[in-house]
């Protein structure tokens, strides 16, 4: 184990989306760095020049920013470091840890087939060739891997994973066009960035064996490996499109809060006893790689919704208002001057039932309606009844007597009104609710009236009465 100050990283390839698995990897790296007082870094693995557009890189930075996990140092871009990668290869050639491989594409293909038939890995005849025999044509550079013995990946999650060296071919480090290969670039970059702990998805476990051999060839300290089990869907199969959202931006679009995702993702593969809900500070305090479990974690939408509701109830109404306004605008709802204050006042009254900010946006819609509201057909028919109409005239008077327009006083007034009428709330409540909300989702009566305010509430009742006068 290393005694260097902890430095972790995520190294996403900019493919156009930030996968939820990458977000979880980022989170574990970030938690471990924060837990140890170390640094969390970001490297963009942009060597695939076709996919690595500026827009795709932005998607990653946006995702990390939204998640609240930005790099402690300026991000490193892998492609820009190709010269440095070649320099490391030159060093390995110099030390005899790598060799020039002059096999042509056809020769390599033939060797591949032979190796397959003989049940062994590809071997190049140039491994120990005399430089005097080097032809004058382009060559790849291969790592001179040990032919026998074993390479052990000491993994903080998986334990010791042993690879037989006879099963590892001599990895290509530089292609014949001079371009560095992926495994080489990762090792050189992680070394130069001072990465002490490589925490990533366990689809990279085989690469860790190859990378270990490169570290040793360069005589560099091997980092602590920690390979995380992948995230699976609720049915136990590898997470895919049919399970719903996969990209971090989709979770944002679906109305999940970043703190929900942090809490939830922390529970996917790690946990602190049975604790379901914990703050960032607690997660940072408790997190340790050794407590990561090696079984795949399953996404559970019900738990995610439950957590999101928890964080929506905790969040600052002003912040939620900004989120709700953004959602409403995306739905082409006109948000007029003064509406933001109205929404901010409404949120605390409606948020208990909201699983997402989309639902929160649905729940505030009733306050934004403009008088006179269009009432449900059924309410209009009911109000044509003279007795009910008379009752609503008396109710309007009772409500206008309420001086302290808030939930407790309004609840009390409604209760007393029902009592004085000698009926249950069911005899006028549903109609009042429809009058106040125009049939849109709304909280209970006192909450709805508190959100609307006195004038708007009484005005909506007046509109309904004049409608059927
Ligand atoms: N670029 C790799 C990926 O996106 C990650 C490599 C690593 O973490 O070492 O899967």
């Amino acid at each position: 184990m290393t005694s260097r100050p902890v430095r972790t990283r995520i190294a996403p390839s900019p493919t156009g989306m930030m996968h939820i698995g990458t977000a979880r990897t980022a989170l574990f790296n970030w938690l471990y760095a924060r837990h140890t007082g170390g640094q969390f870094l970001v490297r963009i693995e942009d060597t695939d020049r076709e996919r690595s557009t500026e827009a795709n890189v932005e998607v990653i930075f946006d995702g990390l920013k939204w998640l609240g996990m930005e790099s402690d140092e300026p991000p490193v871009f892998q492609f820009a470091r190709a010269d440095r990668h070649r320099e490391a290869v030159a060093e390995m050639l110099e030390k005899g840890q790598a060799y020039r491989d002059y096999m042509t594409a056809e020769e390599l293909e033939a060797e591949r087939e032979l190796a397959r038939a003989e049940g062994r890995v590809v071997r190049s005849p140039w491994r120990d060739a005399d430089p005097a025999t080097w032809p004058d044509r382009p060559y790849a550079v291969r790592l001179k891997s040990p032919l026998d013995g074993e390479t052990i990946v000491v993994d903080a999650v998986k334990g010791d994973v042993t690879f037989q060296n006879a099963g590892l071919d001599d990895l290509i480090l530089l292609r014949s066009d001079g371009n560095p290969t992926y495994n080489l670039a990762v090792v050189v970059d992680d070394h130069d960035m001072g990465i002490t702990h490589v925490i990533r998805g366990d689809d990279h476990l085989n690469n860790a064996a190859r990378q270990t051999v490169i570290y040793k060839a360069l005589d560099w300290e091997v980092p602590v490996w920690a390979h995380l089990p992948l995230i699976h869907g609720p049915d136990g199969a590898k997470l895919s499109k049919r399970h719903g959202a996969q990209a971090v931006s989709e979770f944002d679009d679906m109305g999940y809060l970043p703190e929900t995702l942090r809490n939830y993702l922390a529970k996917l593969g790690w946990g602190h006893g049975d604790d379901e809900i914990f703050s960032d500070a607690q997660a940072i305090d408790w997190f340790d790689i050794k407590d990561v479990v090696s079984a795949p974690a399953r996404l559970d939408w019900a738990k995610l919704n439950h957590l999101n509701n928890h964080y929506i109830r905790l969040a600052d109404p002003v912040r939620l208002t900004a989120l709700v306004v953004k959602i409403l605008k995306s739905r082409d709802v006109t948000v007029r001057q003064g509406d933001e204050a109205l929404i901010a006042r409404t949120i605390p009254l409606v948020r208990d039932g909201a699983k997402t900010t989309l639902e929160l946006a649905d729940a505030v819609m009733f306050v934004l309606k403009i008088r006179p509201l269009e009432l449900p057909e059924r309410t209009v028919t009911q109000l044509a009844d003279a007795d009910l109409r008379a009752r609503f005239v008396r109710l309007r008077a009772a409500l206008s007597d309420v001086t302290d327009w808030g939930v407790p006083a309004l609840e009390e007034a409604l209760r007393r009104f029902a009592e004085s009428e000698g009926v249950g709330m069911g005899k006028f409540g549903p109609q009042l609710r429809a009058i106040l909300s125009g049939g849109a989702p709304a909280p209970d009566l006192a909450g709805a009236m508190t959100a609307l305010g006195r004038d708007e509430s009484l005005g909506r009742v007046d509109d309904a009465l004049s409608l059927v006068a």
Side-chain angles (χ1 to χ4, degrees):
M1 289 267 161
T2 178
S3 56
R4 296 177 287 167
V6 168
R7 283 165 73 84
T8 66
R9 58 34 166 208
I10 56 154
S13 309
T15 58
M17 73 129 140
M18 181 165 177
H19 195 272
I20 195 71
T22 307
R24 201 260 317 241
T25 302
L27 177 68
F28 283 20
N29 277 285
W30 180 80
L31 284 174
Y32 192 63
R34 291 289 169 274
H35 174 75
T36 54
Q39 312 258 265
F40 166 72
L41 310 180
V42 174
R43 179 172 70 239
I44 302 294
E45 304 216 312
D46 55 351
T47 49
D48 178 342
R49 299 314 291 162
E50 264 167 40
R51 299 221 277 177
S52 302
T53 60
E54 224 167 274
N56 285 354
V57 171
E58 257 343 284
V59 167
I60 306 219
F61 290 146
D62 287 349
L64 285 170
K65 187 167 180 198
W66 183 76
L67 286 163
M69 294 178 245
E70 288 179 273
S71 185
D72 290 329
E73 289 177 7
V76 170
F77 290 84
Q78 188 159 64
F79 181 70
R81 292 178 38 82
D83 282 345
R84 168 65 183 134
H85 304 145
R86 283 187 275 271
E87 188 184 294
V89 172
E91 190 186 322
M92 282 190 271
L93 279 169
E94 184 98 352
K95 293 200 298 187
Q97 302 278 18
Y99 63 93
R100 298 180 181 201
D101 178 15
Y102 287 96
M103 265 198 288
T104 62
E106 297 73 42
E107 285 167 349
L108 179 57
E109 195 39 48
E111 163 61 10
R112 269 210 192 104
E113 255 169 48
L114 192 63
R116 204 174 302 130
E118 292 177 2
R120 57 168 176 83
V121 298
V122 166
R123 294 290 171 203
S124 166
W126 297 95
R127 184 177 157 112
D128 296 306
D130 179 349
T133 65
W134 286 348
D136 183 20
R137 61 169 190 253
Y139 57 88
V141 177
R142 283 184 188 265
L143 181 68
K144 214 176 226 183
S145 293
L147 294 174
D148 42 36
E150 46 194 36
T151 295
I152 299 173
V153 173
V154 182
D155 193 279
V157 177
K158 310 262 169 201
D160 288 0
V161 185
T162 304
F163 293 82
Q164 296 304 322
N165 289 335
L168 301 176
D169 64 356
D170 287 346
L171 189 71
I172 294 182
L173 302 171
L174 277 190
R175 298 195 187 86
S176 53
D177 62 5
N179 278 324
T181 56
Y182 168 72
N183 277 303
L184 169 79
V186 168
V187 170
V188 176
D189 291 348
D190 280 338
H191 169 265
D192 290 0
M193 290 166 76
I195 300 303
T196 55
H197 295 71
V198 172
I199 306 169
R200 62 187 174 192
D202 68 8
D203 47 338
H204 286 285
L205 186 62
N206 285 330
N207 285 332
R210 302 199 164 276
Q211 292 168 10
T212 298
V213 180
I214 302 176
Y215 274 101
K216 292 198 167 145
L218 282 159
D219 213 10
W220 289 342
E221 186 173 340
V222 182
V224 175
W225 307 109
H227 288 92
L228 310 173
L230 298 183
I231 300 176
H232 286 188
D235 57 358
K238 198 179 156 194
L239 195 64
S240 68
K241 271 209 185 77
R242 73 191 161 84
H243 295 116
Q246 289 190 88
V248 170
S249 61
E250 291 177 273
F251 285 85
D252 182 12
D253 293 344
M254 287 189 303
Y256 294 97
L257 296 177
E259 59 267 44
T260 302
L261 259 283
R262 287 198 297 274
N263 189 152
Y264 184 69
L265 291 175
K267 288 280 301 172
L268 283 185
W270 173 79
H272 184 262
D274 290 333
D275 291 318
E276 291 290 341
I277 293 178
F278 39 78
S279 64
D280 290 334
Q282 286 171 314
I284 288 168
D285 193 22
W286 297 333
F287 186 83
D288 201 334
I289 302 178
K290 67 176 172 34
D291 299 325
V292 173
V293 296
S294 60
R298 288 188 190 198
L299 196 72
D300 180 332
W301 289 98
K303 278 192 182 161
L304 186 64
N305 287 335
H306 175 74
L307 266 185
N308 206 42
N309 172 257
H310 169 83
Y311 286 108
I312 285 174
R313 283 187 285 127
L314 277 188
D316 173 11
V318 175
R319 172 182 167 217
L320 291 176
T321 300
L323 293 173
V324 162
V325 166
K326 203 173 127 199
I327 293 164
L328 294 176
K329 286 187 173 159
S330 77
R331 292 176 180 174
D332 289 328
V333 174
T334 316
V335 181
R336 290 151 302 167
Q337 211 178 7
D339 280 354
E340 294 200 9
L342 196 54
I343 294 170
R345 187 169 77 198
T346 306
I347 282 173
L349 298 159
V350 298
R351 62 170 151 191
D352 282 6
K355 294 190 291 292
T356 64
T357 51
L358 301 188
E359 289 184 7
L360 196 58
D362 296 338
V364 303
M365 277 302 292
F366 79 99
V367 292
L368 301 180
K369 293 200 171 194
I370 298 175
R371 289 178 53 198
L373 272 55
E374 200 177 315
L375 299 187
E377 199 72 34
R378 193 185 139 110
T379 313
V380 178
T381 315
Q382 288 172 328
L383 283 175
D385 176 73
D387 288 346
L388 186 68
R389 217 185 98 69
R391 176 167 288 150
F392 265 83
V393 172
R394 294 191 294 277
L395 174 61
R396 203 258 181 228
L399 289 174
S400 67
D401 283 345
V402 176
T403 43
D404 174 19
W405 198 268
V407 170
L410 286 165
E411 270 175 356
E412 176 63 14
L414 288 168
R415 200 186 52 75
R416 277 215 311 266
F417 178 74
E419 225 171 71
S420 68
E421 296 280 307
V423 296
M425 206 80 97
K427 291 289 184 213
F428 62 90
Q431 293 81 8
L432 178 57
R433 199 182 158 86
I435 287 168
L436 294 170
S437 70
D444 58 21
L445 295 170
M449 286 191 283
T450 304
L452 288 167
R454 185 175 202 278
D455 292 349
E456 181 71 21
S457 301
L458 295 177
R460 289 186 183 191
V461 174
D462 289 340
D463 291 342
L465 286 172
S466 64
L467 193 70
V468 290

